[in-house]
């Protein structure tokens, strides 16, 4: 079974494996959610585990916009509002 980060509000623990590292803005956008909606398919997708599932190949830059490559990645971009210019760390040239 896929192992999610479970928010404390939903009975999750405070162990290192269950605490995602994120900026305050991303943390506020994620809140206690464990899934999000893919804007292309409309499917509800479980959020990826940032310690185990994150790496290259999930996102790509299109100009100054970050785009998710899979339904799970698109759901994360939408949930965390990563398309908002103030939230995006622009790629170096």
């Amino acid at each position: 079974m896929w192992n999610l980060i479970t928010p404390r509000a939903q009975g999750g623990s405070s162990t290192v494996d269950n605490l995602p590292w994120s900026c305050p803005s991303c943390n506020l956008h994620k809140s206690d959610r464990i899934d999000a909606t893919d804007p292309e398919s409309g499917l509800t997708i479980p959020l990826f585990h940032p310690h185990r599932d994150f790496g290259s190949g999930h996102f790509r830059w299109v100009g100054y916009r970050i785009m998710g490559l899979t339904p799970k990645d698109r759901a994360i971009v939408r949930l965390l509002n990563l398309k908002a210019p103030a939230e995006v760390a622009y790629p170096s040239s």
Side-chain angles (χ1 to χ4, degrees):
M1 180 168 176
W2 192 63
N3 192 4
L4 294 171
I5 297 280
T6 305
R8 286 182 31 199
Q10 294 188 18
S13 70
S14 295
T15 62
V16 171
D17 281 347
N18 195 53
L19 296 175
W21 292 71
S22 64
C23 71
S25 178
C26 287
N27 193 39
L28 288 170
H29 279 97
K30 182 189 173 291
S31 186
D32 64 349
R33 295 175 184 87
I34 59 171
D35 54 35
T37 303
D38 170 21
E40 286 187 21
S41 68
L43 296 173
T44 300
I45 309 290
L47 299 177
F48 63 72
H49 191 297
H51 302 297
R52 296 184 189 100
D53 300 331
F54 194 80
S56 62
H58 289 279
F59 308 98
R60 67 183 166 97
W61 289 100
V62 176
Y64 287 101
R65 297 180 72 170
I66 192 167
M67 306 295 285
L69 300 178
T70 69
K72 188 178 291 190
D73 305 331
R74 290 189 300 264
I76 285 286
V77 168
R78 181 179 188 185
L79 176 69
L80 299 183
N81 198 29
L82 294 178
K83 292 185 180 184
E87 306 305 326
V88 176
Y90 297 106
S92 59
S93 302

